[in-house]
Amino acid sequence: MQRRPLLILVAAAVLSTGSSVPLAQARPTGPATATPAPAPAAPAAVATRGAVHAATRVTSAPAPGVTLTSLTYGKRDANDYWTVQVNLPQQPDGPLTGAPLALGPHDTAQRVAKDLDAAGFPPRVERVTTPAYADRPAGVLGWTVRTGRYAEEADASALVARLKAAGFTARTRYTAQDGTDEDAPQRVHVLRIDLDAFGGRLAAGHGPALKGTEKLTDLIGASGAVAGINGQWFYNSAPGGMYVKDGRILGSATQGRAGVRLDRGGRSFAVDTFTTRVTVTAGGETAEVDGVNRLPGEVWNCGGVGGDQPTERPQHDLKCTDPSELVRFTPEWGAPPAGAGAEAVLDARGRVTAVHTTRGAAVPAGGSTLQAIGDSAAWLLRTARVGATLSFDERIRDGQGRTVALGPDTTILQVGPSLVRAGRVAVNAVGDGIVREGPDQSFTYDWTVRANPRSMIGRDDRGRLLLVVADGRDPGVSEGLSIDAAARLMRSLGAREALNLDGGGSSVLATSAGIVNRPSDAAGQRSLGNALLLLPR
């Protein structure tokens, strides 16, 4: 049953003190476990629109100035059930076998429902709506078609098999994860950090090379961190979106997408949107550099420059392409990709030490390589000469068009969307590309509207940092949150500014004692492109 949306307002008594912890341990994963917690405090009230339920909290203090609170709230509804979604074709009269859309126009949904009914599967046509976002009004996203109602997933899976045999494309769904019920069971883990009392800093970290992934617990162990949370999305085993570490641009921007900027170890904290412009001057000519530390030609999340297709606007989890690109590689990347094109090898002063008609040379210590594909290869071969110096200009601008000055400890992680700005819920859904362009809104439905595990970072009105993970995809235990619900949860936790981090199976919060939450992948925690680490110095 889809209950009406309920606004979670975690009572001030629950979290304003900063109490934090490994939620009665939403079942620990793997050999790592969280620090043993003291006996749970008395249940705290969690107010929802029209009802008040008990929220159990468990609290510990991993370090001075750092508290960890895990909350269990909501309740399982006996009317929630497993059902089967039947996919819709891209065209109204398209084939049902291999149909790709989770939802679509009403007429198409009605046509599929009619075919289902004729095949002996009683259909339901259900409307899917979105709430109001900061840059998009509330409205109808589309219609989805479902059939069947079961207490167990196995029975729904058996129906999927029968539907496929009948020529339909289908998958199971659990109604409590539709994203419409904020009274659904949840387990939320909140690390609240007073950096002045702690005496350390929050910083980004990655493995030995950007090209490669590491588990959060390994990053914590290698760095001596007290705690950490997953960071950016990653594609081709490398972080996606603008990544600034120690004041250096290590990752390309998704133009106009949200991110978090940290200075002074996190004592200065800002959620904003960011763009970058990187240019190179060679042989008296200036050209735009399409990317930094990513595979040439592949623009994940789109939002690039220079004629990318199908769009230069951000589109989350969509790969745009560009056959003619200049991409700079720094030593942090590791071994650059090899292939056709051209490249210039530069020393630490930008002096060209070699020019090649293929790509793949190692990056010199302190230097860089500039790779080119397509028409850009001809430009690079014409303008770059051994012994000459190539000059790069890198500029970052915020959402107001102001230049962002990079200090020696500046960190920027471009993830998104924004969740809270100036104490108000502010999800930039269209600008951040989590509402897809075009008629196919399946991604928007699955990723943005439906409930998923979420990771978030924020700052409260006392300047304390919030690292938050909501578990999900665990029916009857913790269903997860829609993006809108994640924003309102962060606001209810006292956030004045908050940003969404990578989520789903990547969502993980850990201390030096082990994993706090329950990652949703069956294998446990994923290897990550990078993370945010709470370092003691």
Side-chain angles (χ1 to χ4, degrees), residues 21 72 119 180:
V21 49
T72 305
T180 59

Side-chain angles (χ1 to χ4, degrees), residues 405-432:
L406 300 182
D409 75 337
T410 300
T411 293
I412 300 177
L413 292 187
Q414 198 179 34
V415 200
S418 63
L419 299 175
V420 179
R421 302 286 302 274
R424 302 181 66 179
V425 169
V427 176
N428 56 323
V430 176
D432 229 317

Side-chain angles (χ1 to χ4, degrees), residues 27 43 58 127 130 134-135 167 202 232 238 307 368 377 401 404 441 455:
R27 287 181 255 164
V58 184
R127 184 178 65 173
T130 60
D135 55 0
L202 186 68
Q232 291 176 283
S368 64
V404 176
Q441 292 298 318
S455 296

Side-chain angles (χ1 to χ4, degrees), residues 100-456:
L101 307 186
L103 75 171
H106 186 260
D107 288 348
T108 305
Q110 290 287 6
R111 174 242 161 157
V112 173
K114 182 178 179 181
D115 289 348
L116 272 176
D117 193 43
F121 302 101
R124 303 186 307 276
V125 175
E126 298 178 359
R127 184 178 65 173
V128 175
T129 62
T130 60
Y133 299 118
D135 55 0
R136 186 180 191 272
V140 176
L141 189 65
W143 281 261
T144 190
V145 178
R146 291 175 169 180
T147 184
R149 184 186 299 250
Y150 302 100
E152 302 295 334
E153 184 179 15
D155 294 324
S157 296
L159 178 58
V160 168
R162 296 197 301 273
L163 285 162
K164 288 182 178 179
F168 297 94
T169 303
R171 59 168 295 180
T172 62
R173 295 285 200 186
Y174 188 58
T175 58
Q177 294 171 15
D178 284 342
T180 59
D181 180 13
E182 292 178 20
D183 198 29
Q186 304 292 353
R187 287 185 168 180
V188 174
H189 315 270
V190 183
L191 197 73
R192 195 179 295 262
I193 306 156
D194 182 335
L195 284 171
D196 291 334
F198 173 60
R201 60 194 175 96
L202 186 68
H206 55 265
L210 281 174
K211 173 74 171 166
T213 59
E214 302 286 333
K215 292 182 178 179
L216 177 61
T217 49
D218 291 338
L219 291 171
I220 289 174
S223 64
V226 170
I229 193 171
N230 61 287
Q232 291 176 283
W233 300 290
F234 47 100
Y235 305 93
N236 298 316
S237 298
M242 183 167 61
Y243 179 26
V244 173
K245 178 175 170 59
D246 299 330
R248 298 183 63 237
I249 298 177
L250 300 183
S252 305
T254 305
Q255 304 291 1
R257 195 161 201 184
V260 60
R261 176 186 173 188
L262 307 173
D263 286 286
R264 296 188 299 118
R267 290 164 179 82
S268 176
F269 178 104
V271 171
D272 209 331
T273 57
F274 297 96
T275 59
T276 60
R277 187 162 191 254
V278 180
T279 59
V280 59
T281 300
E285 298 182 29
T286 298
E288 193 154 39
V289 176
D290 297 87
V292 178
N293 289 329
R294 65 163 171 79
L295 298 189
E298 296 189 10
V299 190
W300 276 101
N301 292 331
C302 303
V305 296
D308 301 345
Q309 295 297 322
T311 180
E312 290 187 0
R313 291 183 290 272
Q315 292 286 276
H316 183 54
D317 267 358
L318 181 68
K319 183 174 75 173
C320 285
T321 58
D322 186 343
S324 176
E325 286 202 314
L326 290 171
V327 175
R328 190 183 191 189
F329 289 90
T330 68
E332 290 85 355
W333 172 265
E343 69 186 0
V345 181
L346 314 175
D347 66 14
R349 295 176 297 172
R351 186 174 64 89
V352 179
T353 61
V355 177
H356 300 140
T357 55
T358 58
R359 299 179 294 115
V363 180
S368 64
T369 63
L370 183 62
Q371 291 196 356
I373 61 171
D375 294 341
S376 294
W379 180 88
L380 186 64
L381 291 172
R382 179 171 54 80
T383 57
R385 294 287 182 266
V386 173
T389 297
L390 303 191
S391 60
F392 291 88
D393 183 66
E394 298 179 332
R395 303 195 180 202
I396 300 175
R397 296 189 184 278
D398 64 17
Q400 300 299 313
R402 299 169 298 199
T403 298
V404 176
L406 300 182
D409 75 337
T410 300
T411 293
I412 300 177
L413 292 187
Q414 198 179 34
V415 200
S418 63
L419 299 175
V420 179
R421 302 286 302 274
R424 302 181 66 179
V425 169
V427 176
N428 56 323
V430 176
D432 229 317
I434 64 167
V435 173
R436 280 280 175 85
E437 297 176 357
D440 182 1
Q441 292 298 318
S442 298
F443 168 84
T444 308
Y445 175 47
D446 286 332
W447 194 93
T448 306
V449 175
R450 287 183 55 79
N452 290 285
R454 306 286 181 185
S455 296
M456 298 146 278

